[in-house]
Amino acid sequence: MCRVRNELQIRSELFRKRPFFNILLLVGIITTIKQGGLIMAHVEKLSIALTPEMAAVVRQCVESGEYASSSEVIREALRDWKLKRSLQLNEIVELRSLWQTGLESGPSRLADMDAIKAEARRRLLSQDTEQH
């Protein structure tokens, strides 16, 4: 968002200095605003409750100029959360697939947990000896 705001400031300075570029700059500014998400056709206002620490972080982001409003901070946080959630769901799908592959591979050749631990130790020791 800062990049869009800075670009708008630069363009408005050029707008004042070079009048013959006025029309082209105006079109560019409108395009930048649309691409930067400043024009939102459909928005819904929500009221949210934040801890004092979270509210302070939001206010600090706005006061520093990193974001133009509290809403921008929250929208970006939600976009990040949505991406993180999507990645987690993909990992769950992958784990389920691996689990199913393991089930379909048939019964284990190891009888119990002690046998599994002994095999793991044997593999670890063989890796150590191969590296040295």
Side-chain angles (χ1 to χ4, degrees):
M1 191 43 136
C2 289
R3 183 187 60 75
V4 171
R5 202 172 29 246
N6 289 341
E7 190 172 329
L8 291 176
Q9 289 169 347
I10 292 168
R11 287 183 183 188
S12 68
E13 289 172 15
L14 287 172
F15 191 83
R16 286 191 295 271
K17 292 178 183 175
R18 297 186 177 170
F20 58 94
F21 285 121
N22 287 355
I23 294 174
L24 292 175
L25 286 174
L26 186 58
V27 170
I29 289 170
I30 290 170
T31 303
T32 299
I33 289 172
K34 285 183 181 177
Q35 290 172 349
L38 295 175
I39 295 178
M40 294 179 285
H42 304 287
V43 293
E44 181 178 342
K45 288 192 173 206
L46 297 175
S47 175
I48 61 169
L50 299 174
T51 64
E53 295 83 13
M54 288 180 172
V57 169
V58 170
R59 278 193 299 278
Q60 183 181 12
C61 287
V62 175
E63 289 167 3
S64 72
E66 190 176 351
Y67 294 87
S69 69
S70 305
S71 295
E72 284 185 20
V73 178
I74 301 302
R75 280 192 294 271
E76 177 144 344
L78 284 171
R79 282 190 292 271
D80 288 347
W81 170 80
K82 192 174 163 184
L83 176 63
K84 179 181 170 187
R85 186 172 180 212
S86 173
L87 293 172
Q88 287 173 338
L89 291 174
N90 288 340
E91 287 177 1
I92 289 170
V93 167
E94 184 179 353
L95 284 172
R96 285 183 178 152
S97 172
L98 291 170
W99 179 270
Q100 190 60 40
T101 301
L103 290 176
E104 292 169 357
S105 70
S108 172
R109 62 180 178 79
L110 303 172
D112 58 16
M113 187 54 77
D114 289 333
I116 293 171
K117 288 179 181 179
E119 175 67 14
R121 286 186 191 101
R122 185 192 65 73
R123 288 184 185 184
L124 184 62
L125 287 173
S126 72
Q127 285 178 353
D128 285 346
T129 57
E130 289 174 8
Q131 292 176 358
H132 297 294

